[in-house]
Amino acid sequence: HTHSVEDLVAALGNVLQRPLRAVSDPARVRRVDRATLGADITLARSSLDWAPEYNLDAGLRATWNSLGP
């Protein structure tokens, strides 16, 4: 799966139970910047018999909960 910064901010807002928004400064965006990033975990799956335990939402929620109250 790929996720944009907006996806990440929205997912974090869901975890925090408050609206968040990403603000982009066009003057700081470089031609080489990508709108989305993704990782291909095919090699890790086949070589290490590994798979992620959490999706983005669950991972953010677990991270937030581990930080305590």
Side-chain angles (χ1 to χ4, degrees), residues 50-65:
W50 177 86
E53 293 182 39
Y54 302 100
N55 63 23
L56 177 63
D57 294 325
L60 287 172
R61 187 168 308 285
T63 300
W64 179 252
N65 291 338

Side-chain angles (χ1 to χ4, degrees), residues 31-53:
R31 288 187 312 125
V32 296
D33 287 339
R34 297 174 52 166
T36 59
L37 295 175
D40 182 354
I41 62 169
T42 304
L43 184 58
R45 280 187 197 273
S46 63
S47 299
L48 304 172
D49 193 31
W50 177 86
E53 293 182 39

